[in-house]
Every structure is written in C-alpha cells, then in structure tokens.
Amino acid sequence: MTKWVYPFAKGQADGRADMKELLGGKGANLAEMCALGLPVPPGFTITTEVCTYFTEHEKTYPADLKDQVNAALARVEEDMSASFGGKGGDGLLLVSVRSGARASMPGMMDTVLNLGLNDETVEILARVSGDARFAYDSYRRFIQMYGDVVLGVDHHHFEDLLEDHKDERDLTLDTDLTADDWKILVERYKEKVADQLGQPFPQDPHDQLWGAVGAVFGSWMNQRAITYRRLHHIPADWGTAVNVQAMVFGNMGDTSATGVCFTRNPATGENLFYGEYLINAQGEDVVAGIRTPQPLTILEKKTANTELPAMEETMPETFAELDGVRHRLEQHYHDMQDMEFTVQEGRLWMLQTRTGKRTVKAALKIAVDMVDEGLIDESEAVRRLDPGQMEQLLHPMLDPNAPRTLLGQGLPASPGAASGRVVFNAEDAEAWSDRGEKVILVRIETSPEDIGGMHVAQGILTTRGGMTSHAAVVARGMGKPCVSGAGGITVDYAAKTLSALGEVVREGEIITLDGATGEIMVGRVPTIEPELSGDFSRLMDWVDAIKTMGVRANAETPLDAQTARNFGAEGIGLCRTEHMFFDKERIIHIREMILAANEADRRAALANLLPYQRRDFIELFKIMDGLPVTVRLLDPPLHEFLPHGAKDVADVAKALGVSDEAIEERAKSLHEINPMLGHRGCRLGITYPEIYEMQAQAIFEACAEIIQGGGKVTPEVMIPLIATKKEFSILKAVIDHAAAQVRAEKGVALDYMVGTMIELPRAALRAGEIAAGDDGAEFFSFGTNDLTQTTFGLSRDDAGRFIQIYREKAVIENDPFVTLDREGVGELVGIGVERGRAARPGMKTGICGEHGGDPASVMFCQSVGLDYVSCSPYRVPIARLAAAQAALAQRDAKEA
Amino acid sequence: MTKWVYPFAKGQADGRADMKELLGGKGANLAEMCALGLPVPPGFTITTEVCTYFTEHEKTYPADLKDQVNAALARVEEDMSASFGGKGGDGLLLVSVRSGARASMPGMMDTVLNLGLNDETVEILARVSGDARFAYDSYRRFIQMYGDVVLGVDHHHFEDLLEDHKDERDLTLDTDLTADDWKILVERYKEKVADQLGQPFPQDPHDQLWGAVGAVFGSWMNQRAITYRRLHHIPADWGTAVNVQAMVFGNMGDTSATGVCFTRNPATGENLFYGEYLINAQGEDVVAGIRTPQPLTILEKKTANTELPAMEETMPETFAELDGVRHRLEQHYHDMQDMEFTVQEGRLWMLQTRTGKRTVKAALKIAVDMVDEGLIDESEAVRRLDPGQMEQLLHPMLDPNAPRTLLGQGLPASPGAASGRVVFNAEDAEAWSDRGEKVILVRIETSPEDIGGMHVAQGILTTRGGMTSHAAVVARGMGKPCVSGAGGITVDYAAKTLSALGEVVREGEIITLDGATGEIMVGRVPTIEPELSGDFSRLMDWVDAIKTMGVRANAETPLDAQTARNFGAEGIGLCRTEHMFFDKERIIHIREMILAANEADRRAALANLLPYQRRDFIELFKIMDGLPVTVRLLDPPLHEFLPHGAKDVADVAKALGVSDEAIEERAKSLHEINPMLGHRGCRLGITYPEIYEMQAQAIFEACAEIIQGGGKVTPEVMIPLIATKKEFSILKAVIDHAAAQVRAEKGVALDYMVGTMIELPRAALRAGEIAAGDDGAEFFSFGTNDLTQTTFGLSRDDAGRFIQIYREKAVIENDPFVTLDREGVGELVGIGVERGRAARPGMKTGICGEHGGDPASVMFCQSVGLDYVSCSPYRVPIARLAAAQAALAQRDAKEA
C-alpha cells in the first residue's frame, strides 16, 4: 500500500526535512520541526505523488487516500482534544489547507484558512473563544477565501457586499463592525455563493476539506503557476504537496500575536535576531501592510528609531522561547532560517521554517561567520554562495538610498555603476577626458574603432546590440559598466543629443548608468565602493584551496592584466593581439599594411608595428611574472581596421598619402557578406604569413628581454580559427622559425608552446589529427563564442532580432552565448578534449569564450576535464568560486 | 632477400599486369605481354621500391641491387644473342632506360635510348647494321640525350653544334648529313661534354646504365614531376620503376618502321583499328611531328582522304601480325588498348600497351559495344564511365571544328554552350527576350533579383564569384551554361560594355560561352546537340538496375521538374519555395509582407501569395505524378527580397504606396552582419508562423486538388535550419494544423511527412532528439552546403578571396563546396544518420546540397547509408551513374 499521507503531531512525524521531493518544502520542514519537539500545530501532509496522480487521472484520487486522510485527521483531533465538525463537544478543530511544492513558489498557489466552520460550528467557536465577533469574522473570512479559491466566486463579490453594508451603517473600518454585522454579512455571503453557483455553500466540513485539497492540487496547473514554473525552470512533474494543519489563532486578543523572523539579519548577515510581529493579528495582516509591524527585539527598535514596542518587551517569555527556537533551528539546519510563528493566548506555535533568502553581502558574512562558529566547514561555506550574484560585490554600486530619476532601461551588459558627461563619439570621449572630464560614451552601437573612447569613458551606453554585442564584451573585459540595447532611447549623432521619455539630454550633461540592472538615470547618483578584503578574501582563500581548474583572464592591456592579477587570475588565457592595433599611432601602420600592394610593402608596414607589439608583450609578461600567457595571433578580418565614413577616410588617405578612392576601393574589395565566416583568423596567416611572423617575432623578442632581465616567461602562442591540420602545421612552422631566429640572435633559450583555438566544429571533430605529431597543437583553447556561432549557425551580432521571441516561446532556455549549450556545443568540446588528449596525452586544454566566466558553463568545463577557464578580469573571482563549486560537485558525485 | 628486379624475356616474365604498384604501368604491361608470348624486346624492371629507397637514402641503392641487375642483363644478352658493351663479338646489345610509374605521367619523366654506345661499340653497330651513318647518328643522339638527361648538359649546346656544322657545310636537313658528318659531330659533342663537365663522356656501358637509372629515379623528385603529382593527386611515395630493355630500331631502312595505335577509335569508339606509323623512323619522330605520320589501315586512309600509303598496304604481313596482337590484347585486357610498336627489318616488336584514353562519347560506345561483344558485363560497363565527364554528353557543345575568337576565360561554372546578344541587367534581358532575341546576361555578380533575367537568358557570364556563386548555383539548377569569375573581363554597367584583351563588346553584340571550359568567344560559334537515346539510354538502364540509392532533383519550376524527370529523377529532393517568390507579380506581395507593421497586414499580403504557391505546387505534383516531392519552406533572410538601388526602391515604394524612406528604413533595420547565420530558415517560421502556415496551406490545398482529380501525391514538408528540437516541434504543429484544416475543408485524406534539413552542426549532433517522438522529424535531408559553411566556419560567398591560395599551398585538396569533406562534414552526416535512425528506425535520409551531384560525394552518401541524393536536374544522370558505381564499390568491398 502506498503511503500517501504523512502525519506530524506531539513530537512525532513520519516525514523528515530531506523528504522535500515527496512532502514539499513546507511539509518536510513542519515534520522536521515537530520531530525536534518544537511547538508545531498538529497536522499531515498529502504527498506530491497524489498531485501527480490527480493531474494524470482527471482530478481523481488514489482509492486508499480517503482512509489515510481520515486516520490522520483523527490523530489531529486527538492531539488537539478537539473535533473536526464539533461533534465531540469539548473542542472545535479547524484546519488550514496550504500548498507546498519542492521549490518555493511564493504567492503562486492557493491557501484556505479556518476550514471546518459552518452554521453550527461557528457557534461552538463563539462559545469556546468567548468571542462571537471573532467567530463570525472568522466564518465570513472562510466563506470569502473558500468561495474565491475553491468555488470560483470572485472576491470582489464579497468585497462589494462588505462595502455596501458599511455604507448602510455608515461604518469606515472593519474593526468598527460588530458580531451582528458579521452575522448579517455571513448570511449575505452564503446567499451570494448560492446565487452564483446555484447551490448552497457546503456545510459539511469533510466536503469542505476535499474541496480545498482539490483546489490546491488544481492550482498546480493554473496559468499563473505554469508561467512561474517556466520562468524559474521548475518541471511540471514535481507537483505540489498539500498541508492540512490544525488552525491556531494570533487574533484572539492581546496575548495573541503573529510574526515572521530571520535567525540573522538577511540584509547585512549580522548574527542578530531579526523580525516583525503584530499583536492580535493573523498572518495575512503582517504581509498585507495595513498595520505597521513592530520590531522583534529591543536592538532593532533602537536601530529603526521607532516607538513601537518590541516583542522582547511585550511578551518577554514567549520571545525567549522563540529565541530558543531560533538557536535550535540554526544549530539543526546549519543555515540561516526564515520562520513564521503565531502566539495564541500566550502559547507559541511554529508555522514554518525554511532557508532564508539574503543579499549577497549577507550570504558572504553568514557563510564566513558560520565557519568561525563551527556550524559549517569551509567547503560548505563555498557551496553557499551564488557565483552569479557575486559580481555585485566587485563593482561600485549605486547607493540604494539615493534618489534617482529614471531615463530608460537597457540590458545589464556589464556590471558596476558610473556617472559622467554624455559624449557621442570616441574622439570626443578622448578630448573631454584629456580635459579631465569624466564621460559616458553613448553610441548606437560600438565598433573596434571606438576602443580608445571606451577606454577613457566611465561607462558605455548603446541603443542597439545584446548582452554579447561588441560594447558589452569589451566593457566586461574592461570592467566598465555598460548598458546595451536601450531601445527606448534615441540617439541623434548630428544634434549630439539622446532622448527618451520626452526628455532630451545634450552633450556634456551628466547621466548615471547602473550596469547591474540596465537602468539609465538623469544626473549623478552617488555610488558605494566595493569591499574586497576581510570576509571576501577569506572565502576566496578557501575557494582556491578547493578548486582544481585554473582560472585565467582574457586581457591585453597592462591595466586589465593588473586587474586580473589583483582578482586572483593565474595567467592570461586570451590576449587578443588585434586590440593592440587600434591605438591611434598604431592603426595607421596596420592600415598601411592593408593598403600595401605587395609583400615587401606589407613587411615594411609590419616592421613599424613590431616595436609596439614587443613593448606590449614585455609589459604583459612583467605583470604576469612567470604565469602562463596565451597570445592569440591576429584574428579579425582586415576590413575591421579600415576607416568608416568620409571624414575618417579622408584623414587616413592624407596620413598615408593615397587617394580617398584608393581607400574606398580597398574597403570595397575587402567587404565580406559573412565576415564571421570569412577571411580572418589563420586564413590571414596562410595568405599573409608575414603578419604572424612579425607577431611571433615580437613575442619572442619580448621573452628574450624578460629572460635576459632575469625573469621567467612561457608564452603560449595561439593560432585562431583552425579548421584543418595543414593550416596549423604551416603556421606552426612560421612561428617555430621566428623562435629559432630570435634564439639565434639573442642567444637565449626560449620556452614556449604553439597551440590553437578550437572554435569551429571541424576543428573539434579533427582534434586528434590537429594535436598529433611534432607539427601538432601543444594546447587547445576552446573559443566557445565562435564555436557556438558555428554550431548553432547563429550570428551573435544578428541574433538579437529574434532571440527574445525564442525565449518567450521557450525555444531556448538560456542564451547560448551566455551559458554554454551542453548538448550541442558541449558535445563538440567533449569530443575535442577526448580526441586531442588521445593524440597527445595530458594535453593542456582551456576555454576562453565568454562562457569562461559563467558559473553553469564553468561547471561543464570541470565535467569535461578542462585544465582552466579564462574570462574577463572582473569575472575572475566569480569563475574561481564557480570552479570551486564545480570541484565540490564532482567530488560529491564521485563519493555518491 | 628482396627481389628488386623483375626480368622479362622469351615468353617468360616474373611480373604481371596487376603488379603496377611495384613495377609501374609500363613495366607491368611489358611483363604481361611477354608472358602472353607477344614479341617484346627482352628486358627487366627495377621496382618502385628501389625508387623509394633511393629517395630516402641520399640517392644510394640497396646493396644487392647490382647483382640482380647484372643477372637480368645477362639474360637479355643471352636472349638477344648480343653483348652489352660488344664484348662477345657476335652482336651488340644496346638498351633503352625508361621510367614507368603506377599512374601515367606523360612527358614528366626522363628516358634514355641507345644506351651502350661508345667509341668502340659504335663501330660494331656500323658493322652489324651495315650502315655507318645509322650507327654514328645513333651515337650522337645518345650523347645528346644522355648529356641532357643524365649529365645535365643542356641540349641547346648540341643543337648549336649541329647548326654550326650545317652552316659550314651548307646543309639544310639532318638527312643531308653523311656518316662522316655525324662522326665529326660525335667528336664535337664529346668535347662539349668534357668542356662543360671537366671530365670525358662516360665510355663504360655499365657506368652509362647506372647513370641513366639514377637519372630516372632522380627525375621522380624533380620540380616538374612534383608539380604534376600535386595537380593530379599522385602521392610522392608511390615512386617510379625503371625499365631497361633491349633496343630495337625502326630506323634501319625501308623494312623498318615505328608507330602508335589504338584497338578502337578513341574519338568515336567505333570498333575499328586506328593508328599512325612512319617508315624508317624512331618513336620520337612520330611524336615530334616533323614527318607526317601515315595511316595504319586502308579504311583510315580513305576517311582521311590522304595519298600516304597505309601500313596495311606497305607491310601487309606485319600489319596482319599487329592486327592479331590488337585482338589478342583486347581479348586479354577486356578494354581498348593504346599500343606502341616498332618494326625492325620486317620484325614486329611491341614496346608498350596500356588502357587507351578516349573521349566520353567513345567511352560510352566502347562500354556498350563490349557488353554486346561479351567482353565485359553490364556492371563493368557501368564502372568504365567517368561520371564527372558524362555531363559533356548532356548539353549542347561547341562544334570542335568551328573557328573561334577567344575573348577571355572564367570558371566553367555550368556546362553547355550558348550564343546570344549581350545584355547587362535582368530587365534588359527580359525586354530583349520579349522581342524574340536570344541573350547572354552579363553581370559583375548576380543576386536573387536577377532570377527573371537568368531564366530568359541563353547563358550567364559573371566577372566575380566562384564555382558556387549565386550565378553558378542557379545556372546549374537551370541547366544553363554559365561562366563565372571571369576576372580578366571588365564590365561597365553605365556604358553597357564589356571589355577584355583590348576588345570592347557593346550591348546587343553577340558572344558565345562554353560553360564546360569557361571560354568566352566573340561572335557566334556553332554548337552540336546532345544525343541521349541509344547507347546512353541502354547504359542508364543498367545503371538503374544496379544502384541502390534514389536520385532526385532540386527543382521548383515546371521546366526544371520536367527536365529532371526526363533525366530520370525519381522525385524532387528540394523544392526551394522562395524561388517561387521572385517573379515580378509575386515579389510585390512578399515585399508588402515584409513591410507590414503587424500580423494582420502580413497575413493579408500572404493571402495574395497563396494562389501562386498553390498553382506552382499543383504543377509540380502533376509533373512528378506520385513521386515524392520535398518542399522546403521559406529559407532566406527577408532582406533578400527587398529592392536594391534607388530606382528599384522608388518603383517598389510607388507600387506599395509607401515612401522611399520607409523601404530604405526597413532595409536598414533588416540588414544583417552575417546573414548566413541570421534571421532565416525556421527562425522566420518561429517569429512569423503565418508565413509557414500559408505555405503549408498552399501545399495541402494543392494535394487536395490532385487527389480529387484522381492523382497521387505524398509531399514531404521540410523545415530548414533547425538547431533545436523545440523549433521543429513548434513548426510541425503549425504544419499539422494546416493539414487538418485542409483535410476538414476539402474532405480528402492527406498523406504527408514533416521533416527537416540537417544543415547545422547542432542539428546533426541532436539528430536523435529531433527525430524522436510524435513531434519529431519524419525524414532528414542533409543540407551539405550550409553544413559545410558552418562546420568549416567558411562562407561560400567569401571563400573565393583565399581558397585559391589554400589550394596552391595544398591546405585543402578539394573545394569542400564541390566535394564533400568526409572527415569533418562527413562525420557529422554520419552522426546525423546514425542518431536519427536510432530514434526512428528506418527513417528516410537524403542529401540535397550541391554535393548530391558530385560523384565522390555520392560515393560517400552510399557509404553512410543515405536513401537518396538530390541534385540539379542536369546532374541527375551523373548522380545516377555515380550511385550505381557506389553500389558496385560497396558490393565489391563486401565481397572482398
């Protein structure tokens, strides 16, 4: 016989806290508290399996459910010395019927209180409580709730009747109504129900009970719940449990009360009891906000500077009992709890406990404190933090108490907050910045040409492009706040204005961006600086001790590299050399190279770039001081370096001493229909080997200088966009040749590796061949941005047009450019690792796409055995934490 | 002990015809002929393994080679009763030393004749032959050849000496020189060699022999041979063999002769002996073309209308013997042979036999005739034809005898030949065509907008784009000649001229295209029509009996569909519905749809398209008459349908009653950075379900009409660009819904399938999920064009920029858009088939990329078990032949 019903009463319970799947979160914790001997109103839980049965069997129940419910109900009656239906004479049992799923779904599901009241039992309640007004108020609340939730009679019908009655009698507040008023209204409510349904309000308490149970189970499949589940990735087949529990009343006079509390402060994490309560009230009254809740403790009262008496003062004994429960529960659960309680005529009843939600800041403090208190160990502390939220700790944030005027909202593309004067192009940004002004660069969208302006800006705002647009990616790399795709804002480059909501902001006026929320505000909003020492630093030490994957950063500027080291990066996983070319004094040489008519002229232009590249590498190597540095050779198509717009063209033409037409002609000839799939990456290296030759020379000459200065450096030279082994072996020879030349010229021993990005499906499939032999790749770095683009056939730059609809229609759960698609892209990564390592045992593998900083993706990287992840500098701590959690999850899975 | 040397002499040979890998083609066939008892000058073959040894061991030989050569040489001496070096007294053995690799490499390798002559043996030769002039002429030829080939003394030195001598003596022709003249020249030749090398010309015949052998082996690695091998995909490690053979002389007077012949006519295939010979000449004289060769047979003499006496007349007995050899060899080899022979003083010697090269026409006739003659069976006949060449038989071709003036050359993008008046845009093409003119459409490159003009044109010429450019793909689909990427030709749209080689062709002037060669000619060149009955039709019947895969066509117009059926297509594998939208009266509606502001307006525009689509499908279904028709729903991004250029925009704006700006604005908003990876395929269906709804309705209403007319039709509705199962299941529901509606409205039972193109790596990987369940795909069609683009990360439209360099640097062997990349793309196809069929046993799978018509790719399709290939109509016969060969190859492999 299947057990469908789990009773709890008198310190005994059939359920346990770890039975959430079967009993839901509320039911499991009620059973646990009961078994702990805490004062829980007796009751029972109908399991989630009944919900599944109910859904699958046209709203019917298993045959033996009724007997089990009746047996459990009898135990409650016995425990409460009261009768459901009031037949026994000595007491009346009323019950609450509440839903309780495995995951919390606040407000999504239905609840019925005071169940068991009818025309007869209301009189018993009046007699037992000695308060007819209370009894009839309870009855009319029950009819309204039951009518609404179970019978489908909309609550406005009841509210209208109440208002009419108040008008008739010239009454204002509910508290003005007497027992007789409620009696009259109870009759009218029942008439309304009979009128709406064509049959009377059910009087049999058992009918009422089954009606309510069916309504709760039915609510699992209502539209509100379905939508909520979809948004929160909760499977429909989990089902909800139903909790039937003896009613206790916090509204039976001044010795009764109800409240919610946290075992620690959920905002700051401080180990102080924290909560609110109301005297002579039911639970809904605390939530509804009609009466101002009072503080729980005297300390709170002082902090909040209120005159309202604390529970610690008004009910010192009950408070002490509650404080005891608080300590008991934390000791038992080893985590901060969020509890609900009711005091009925001086007696404390616990109605709920669950793990309390908290801010990131509080989560960090609680985790570290609990380690110090011996409640949890360091691994558990590491498990407790949400890496996705942690980024909030790393950036300045807006002062939550500061006033703000919202101008618009875009995507939260790169976290942090910043204020500055609006400028509309990169040149202006640099010019204003040179004058000492802080600026926000506002563009419709950004291109590599804007890098200089982005560097000097405090933050970036674009009106087009998604979370992985150029602006978003670069800003995250720089650790600058960015709001992208703010479609509601119109930019007029000519007039140098932006406008939204009828408001026009001109060049030079100040705006504030919140990159964590995507909000754009007029004027300056004060910010709060992050605090990275103390608890943060202690936690990160534990993280590093646990994680098994390395965490590197994607960085090319000294500033980024230094930031990354400060955040604990263990090397550079991706140095995009092309970013080194966009500087004003450099781009002219690369343009010269592009416009060159032959190899000799190309070489001459490249020779001018060599000193810059060498200097950049020397700086990077110095900052990284012996840690590995992966340098990716030139990747983007050459047309990205050409000027856009007549003025730019004219400037460049003048500087290079060629005609405007020559530049336009060249740009036209370089135009590509699908640049993502075009003449870029190693294809440039194959067609113009002199480019990679120069870059390799710069790398190795930089190494030589470091080594001659007594330093250590092991560059990992990375060839992008490999599709075939032959491409790799041709270019590896070019690099090896450059190394040999530098070695011979400078007389130093060079230690280096040559590897490739695996960013095309073909490269993943041919990984074995690409890794094999003396001319094979010595390391792989999975470029999951491009691998996602090619595996899905989806352009990052163009996906914005329909990805929103894809999410709405639930075609995809996550943006695959944010969280790695395990099933498709992930299989290719797995194949790449496996075949690569089969050909070259122990081969070093990593990931350098945007996914390197995404916790879910980091988990995947651990599962396929990558050696490291690499991400933008500001995501390094997040990746470290995610890597530690991934290591713990893997360890747990092995032990299981 | 390794056997390095394979002798043949006196009807006995150690080698055989099937030992080509070891003995090379020439050596293996010499051995075979010898063993057959045919008159072959005795000799021996040094194996290709020695070549490999030689290459790998710094030009040295295996230790025991010398002894084996000496032993073999002794057998030759014995057989010829002659002495190498003339020591024996009774006769002089001279030898030829020739290369002979596994594959024929005509003219690529070196040969030395008359080897063994020196100052002493020349006198013996004079005495034995009774002809001092012959002896010294032979000696000086030997010195020149050996000097050039072995010693590296350039032949111009010898030619200069000969010219000087002729001038001195006032002689004109070589035949004017006497024995004394040659004696003088022999001395001068030897002096020149000594002068150039600092040492005398080698006199020891054995030194000469080893010198020549080394030169032949060395020639395997010379630049000429390396280049040839690269162009013909011949691996370097095959090596060449060396054939040493007793010299026989066709230049010993009027009873001597030399010639080449074919067992059948290599141009027409007729079963007639065919060849040329020269009396008193050596082999080189026939090839050199100094003397006019004479016909072999009297019939040939008559056909060629020449007075030169036939061998059948001048040497009737020897001719009869040669004719006997001809029959013997054909009976033995079961194939047409290409032979070389020499007659020395009335005695016939066979110097070579090999499978004769032939025209496609001849190949077809010979194969069919040989089946009738019982020489080969039908399978063998099918094996004999090269599918790649067969396309020549299907199109009109230029009369090979007609004069022509070449204007330029491009890529042979679509076969066939056509003449017409030059026009420079699609509108002009249609206007001229309406006037009854035949036109050639000349564009820099074509776009979907040009389809109308391409349809009416006789042929298409573009100056940009490759073998898979828009023009090339569409033209092949239409079966029209196309020359693409003719970079040497300049088009001036404004002036309406094209110019090349200093010549200017104006609009309205006539040019001729040869799409099989890529040639462009001024004026009209007459063409010959193809002959598809008779032998062709018999062979194709055998093909159909053998092949196991179906062959379908990619077609959407009635003309294409009819062509495809005529060529034996077994259904339509890809009907690209968007091609149905480009017609003038239709494109306006699709533009209306694109410009629509909301769903209602979009539906209104689509409703206008519905009748056109329905009519198209009815026509297609009628032509296909019960055969399967795969209809792909709308695939390209919407911006492809928008007008380009101010005039077009204005026209469309006027027609639609909107402003020019509205259209430009919409075009701008639809612009994509990587349209290949953008908002297209099923992504359009997800965002605008009404489009696919209309298309499905049109398909099913067409079915209903066919069925109500008593016909049969089973459409296969294909959803393009699926990356996830969810996309598929959402859109399958849309299609099923449309079917149910039509079914209900028309009251007919509809039989149809819904499947998908697998054209993204993710779809191949997730094939199992996509095929599974009631909402899964019922068939797969591999769209290998896009699958290649995404797997390689390579845009077809942009690859032209560097693919040439990739081929030159041997990064890729074949253009992956022409021949399917087995290792990368092929693995994904294999995975797709396997996982799809695991989820849906027996699932129908096919291929509809350009690869469907490529023989090598068809072979691959057979190997992974596809049910059918689909290709452009004109490639259907090629695909059928390739499919039959693939089936045979698979059968052979299984039997082996």
Side-chain angles (χ1 to χ4, degrees), chain A residues 669 671 673-677 683 686 727 760 762 790-793 795 798 801 806 809 821 827 835, chain B residues 669 671 673-677 683 686 727 760 762 790-793 795 798 801 806 809 821 827 835:
Chain A
S669 84
H671 170 77
I673 297 176
N674 295 295
M676 160 70 208
L677 309 175
R683 295 163 192 170
I686 296 283
E727 291 167 326
L760 298 175
R762 194 178 195 282
T790 46
T791 304
F792 266 91
S795 162
D798 301 308
R801 211 177 296 279
Y806 262 54
K809 297 201 176 183
D821 159 49
E827 178 170 4
R835 297 186 183 176
Chain B
S669 85
H671 171 76
I673 296 175
N674 295 293
M676 160 69 208
L677 308 176
R683 295 162 194 172
I686 296 282
E727 290 167 327
L760 297 177
R762 194 178 194 282
T790 45
T791 305
F792 267 91
S795 163
D798 301 309
R801 210 177 296 278
Y806 262 54
K809 297 200 176 182
D821 159 49
E827 178 170 6
R835 296 186 182 177

Side-chain angles (χ1 to χ4, degrees), chain A residues 29-343:
Chain A
N29 281 323
L30 283 172
E32 189 82 9
M33 281 199 293
C34 178
L36 283 174
L38 297 180
V40 175
F44 55 89
T45 304
I46 307 176
T47 68
T48 56
E49 290 175 356
V50 178
C51 183
T52 304
Y53 185 102
F54 184 83
T55 307
E56 288 174 357
H57 293 80
E58 295 172 0
K59 307 200 172 186
T60 61
Y61 299 104
D64 46 354
L65 178 65
K66 199 161 190 171
D67 289 345
Q68 294 189 27
V69 166
N70 287 340
L73 196 57
R75 279 184 63 184
V76 177
E77 286 179 311
E78 189 194 326
D79 188 22
M80 295 295 282
S81 304
S83 154
F84 187 58
K87 295 289 153 39
D90 60 346
L92 174 68
L93 175 66
L94 300 181
V95 298
S96 64
V97 178
R98 290 186 175 93
S99 67
R102 198 188 304 189
S104 168
M105 292 171 65
M108 299 314 303
M109 310 267 302
D110 294 324
T111 293
V112 181
L113 301 181
N114 301 339
L115 191 141
L117 282 175
N118 58 23
D119 296 349
E120 288 169 30
T121 55
V122 69
E123 287 298 332
I124 303 175
L125 184 60
R127 195 176 65 236
V128 171
S129 66
D131 185 346
R133 187 191 176 282
F134 161 73
Y136 280 91
D137 182 18
S138 297
Y139 192 16
R140 70 91 197 176
R141 284 178 190 241
F142 169 57
I143 298 172
Q144 175 167 353
M145 209 176 238
Y146 194 92
D148 184 18
V149 167
V150 182
L151 304 176
V153 179
D154 199 279
H155 54 87
H156 78 84
H157 290 296
F158 305 111
E159 280 150 17
D160 289 352
L161 290 172
L162 176 56
E163 287 311 308
D164 290 350
H165 183 80
K166 281 184 186 169
D167 289 350
E168 269 169 40
R169 305 287 164 110
D170 207 15
L171 302 168
T172 311
L173 299 173
D174 286 6
T175 45
D176 296 337
L177 275 71
T178 63
D180 287 339
D181 289 319
W182 291 126
K183 263 188 198 169
I184 295 166
L185 277 166
V186 160
E187 286 310 310
R188 293 197 181 153
Y189 277 21
K190 288 193 292 179
E191 279 162 26
K192 176 58 80 179
V193 168
D195 191 42
Q196 290 284 316
L197 299 178
Q199 53 186 35
F201 185 84
Q203 290 288 320
D204 180 341
H206 285 92
D207 289 351
Q208 292 174 357
L209 177 62
W210 288 104
V213 169
V216 171
F217 283 142
S219 72
W220 179 253
M221 294 308 286
N222 73 24
Q223 198 48 53
R224 214 168 31 152
I226 290 171
T227 306
Y228 185 94
R229 282 199 297 273
R230 185 163 59 66
L231 292 175
H232 293 81
H233 307 310
I234 297 173
D237 63 5
W238 279 8
T240 182
V242 173
N243 298 291
V244 179
Q245 205 175 3
M247 279 297 298
V248 290
F249 298 91
N251 54 347
M252 287 181 78
D254 289 348
T255 56
S256 298
T258 190
V260 296
C261 53
F262 293 85
T263 56
R264 303 188 185 214
N265 186 314
T268 65
E270 286 169 298
N271 189 2
L272 298 169
F273 201 12
Y274 176 94
E276 296 173 336
Y277 82 113
L278 276 176
I279 287 179
N280 195 15
Q282 273 200 319
E284 301 91 279
D285 302 325
V286 181
V287 181
I290 299 166
R291 287 166 57 189
T292 305
Q294 299 169 223
L296 216 59
T297 65
I298 297 170
L299 183 63
E300 271 180 88
K301 181 181 162 185
K302 284 183 186 156
T303 311
N305 200 18
T306 173
E307 291 304 313
L308 295 169
M311 187 182 179
E312 196 175 356
E313 298 168 305
T314 57
M315 300 178 164
E317 277 163 39
T318 318
F319 173 81
E321 192 185 349
L322 183 63
D323 197 38
V325 170
R326 167 200 171 206
H327 287 293
R328 186 77 197 278
L329 287 176
E330 260 207 1
Q331 288 292 331
H332 185 69
Y333 283 104
H334 299 171
D335 202 356
M336 189 265 269
Q337 296 294 299
D338 163 1
M339 307 170 291
E340 289 177 21
F341 65 91
T342 283
V343 181

Side-chain angles (χ1 to χ4, degrees), chain B residues 10 27 34 113 189 226 303 332 374 396 400 470 515 530 553 619 639 679 722 727 821 835 848 876:
Chain B
K10 281 201 175 172
C34 178
L113 301 181
Y189 278 19
I226 290 171
T303 312
H332 184 70
H470 178 264
E619 275 198 87
H639 48 76
H679 194 184
I722 288 292
E727 290 167 327
D821 159 49
R835 296 186 182 177
C848 62
V876 165

Side-chain angles (χ1 to χ4, degrees), chain B residues 718-785:
Chain B
M718 181 154 76
I719 304 173
L721 211 72
I722 288 292
T724 68
K725 169 65 174 281
K726 188 78 187 225
E727 290 167 327
F728 185 83
S729 57
I730 288 175
L731 293 171
K732 180 172 190 294
V734 169
I735 294 159
D736 286 341
H737 181 74
Q741 280 203 318
V742 172
R743 204 181 269 137
E745 271 172 33
K746 309 282 178 185
V748 292
L750 293 170
D751 197 15
Y752 67 96
M753 290 205 286
V754 185
T756 181
M757 270 179 104
I758 301 285
E759 52 189 331
L760 297 177
R762 194 178 194 282
L765 294 168
R766 304 303 301 161
E769 185 188 8
I770 291 168
D774 288 344
D775 61 347
E778 292 165 297
F779 66 87
F780 281 167
S781 177
F782 289 88
T784 48
N785 293 349

Side-chain angles (χ1 to χ4, degrees), chain A residues 701-720:
Chain A
E701 287 179 357
C703 290
E705 183 160 333
I706 295 286
I707 293 167
Q708 282 168 337
K712 226 190 122 207
V713 58
T714 310
E716 301 173 354
V717 183
M718 182 154 75
I719 304 172

Side-chain angles (χ1 to χ4, degrees), chain B residues 94-110:
Chain B
L94 300 182
V95 296
S96 65
V97 177
R98 289 187 175 93
S99 66
R102 198 189 303 189
S104 167
M105 293 171 66
M108 297 317 301
M109 309 268 303
D110 294 322

